[in-house]
Amino acid sequence: MSSFSRLVRFLSHDGRTYYGDAILPEGETDISKAQSARIIEGNIFGEHQVTDREVDIRTLLPPLAPAHSGTVRCLGLNYVDHAKENNLPEPKYPVLFFKPPTSLSGPTDPIPVPHMAQEMDGLDYECELVIVVGKQCKDVPESEALDYVLGYAVGNDLSHRDWQLKHGNQWAHGKGFDGWAPYGPGIVSSKLIEDPQSLAIWTKVNGETLQNGHTSDQIFGVKETISLLSRGVTLMPGDLIFTGTPGGVGMGRSPQLWLKDGDVIEVGLDNVGTCVNKVEFARNYAKI
């Protein structure tokens, strides 16, 4: 589908924002290590070309511009060990919820924690494989599902467990605060990742590995997820699907481990790279 290999959106030293195909150092697969990219011209979901013009990367941005980002769908309890650590049975159907587009942020952006999310403990991390839909589709059979994938990224489904679970099962609220879905560091083409169920995935907090999973342990794999979510529902180019998290989240630990102000979270995915985001608690309310 795509002519790029590793799509990035970035701010250059000339002050302009570009789409580009990341140029990685020899032997490197982590897009976050790219220092330059070849400019992409055209429609990233359609006809486009990777030019020979190389531009330095100053800052990696969310891989898709807001105008190109669609619906943000997310799966809960999609890894066997994550269901076990929550003492829940494996779901027979995907546990689906949505995040607002304002939750999306970039691979190095701070994670803002508003006053509402500071009123009690419960701030948690979740590393996730993110599917980026590349073509409009509906009622897709599993055998054709990967044909509609633009590529893959890694994301962090930030969650506040008290708001998610203790106050009326407010999943959308407990997971939907601004900036609570950082993803990136780019989008690796599906032509480079032919089997999305063959990837290691992890989370580190302040350098300590807390999640160490593998996409082969997903209950609903990428093909099945796309097929199920497209039944009677049109998926559009730019739609994002966060596909759930492996075991090791803070809520499932004993004692439970909650994120604090200043914590640095790294989520990573084989052959894609890492997002590194710092937790920043909101300070005093603004005075009018």
Side-chain angles (χ1 to χ4, degrees), residues 91-112:
K92 295 181 178 180
Y93 297 96
V95 177
L96 176 65
F97 62 96
F98 294 79
K99 285 199 172 201
T102 49
S103 67
L104 296 174
S105 62
T108 61
D109 290 338
I111 297 168

Side-chain angles (χ1 to χ4, degrees), residues 21 47 55 69 79 116 159 191 211 249 269 276 285 288:
D21 197 355
E47 293 294 327
V55 175
S69 303
Y79 282 75
M116 181 179 182
S159 308
K191 69 186 180 186
Q211 289 184 284
V249 298
L269 182 67
V276 180
Y285 287 99
I288 299 177

Side-chain angles (χ1 to χ4, degrees), residues 199-218:
L199 306 172
I201 187 168
W202 66 90
T203 297
K204 297 180 181 180
V205 177
N206 301 326
E208 179 182 359
T209 300
L210 299 181
Q211 289 184 284
N212 191 11
H214 200 277
T215 57
S216 61
D217 294 327
Q218 288 184 338

Side-chain angles (χ1 to χ4, degrees), residues 123-134:
L123 183 60
D124 210 346
Y125 49 84
E126 294 189 3
C127 59
E128 309 210 2
L129 165 69
V130 180
I131 305 166
V132 183
V133 177

Side-chain angles (χ1 to χ4, degrees), residues 54-175:
E54 295 185 14
V55 175
D56 289 341
I57 295 172
R58 176 180 171 187
T59 305
L60 288 172
L61 303 173
L64 294 180
H68 297 150
S69 303
T71 301
V72 184
R73 295 173 174 85
C74 307
L75 299 189
L77 297 175
N78 195 34
Y79 282 75
V80 174
D81 55 355
H82 184 48
K84 286 182 178 179
E85 71 181 352
N86 285 286
N87 298 312
L88 294 170
E90 294 179 21
K92 295 181 178 180
Y93 297 96
V95 177
L96 176 65
F97 62 96
F98 294 79
K99 285 199 172 201
T102 49
S103 67
L104 296 174
S105 62
T108 61
D109 290 338
I111 297 168
V113 180
H115 293 280
M116 181 179 182
Q118 298 178 38
E119 294 170 356
M120 57 206 80
D121 290 329
L123 183 60
D124 210 346
Y125 49 84
E126 294 189 3
C127 59
E128 309 210 2
L129 165 69
V130 180
I131 305 166
V132 183
V133 177
K135 293 192 295 186
Q136 181 176 326
C137 59
K138 182 178 179 181
D139 295 324
V140 178
E142 286 187 36
S143 60
E144 299 175 10
L146 298 187
D147 295 340
Y148 296 92
V149 175
L150 182 73
Y152 305 96
V154 66
N156 190 348
D157 174 18
L158 269 293
S159 308
H160 196 289
R161 302 304 185 186
D162 276 9
W163 280 111
Q164 177 192 357
L165 301 171
K166 293 184 179 180
H167 300 291
N169 284 325
Q170 302 283 347
W171 280 54
H173 204 164
K175 290 172 169 279

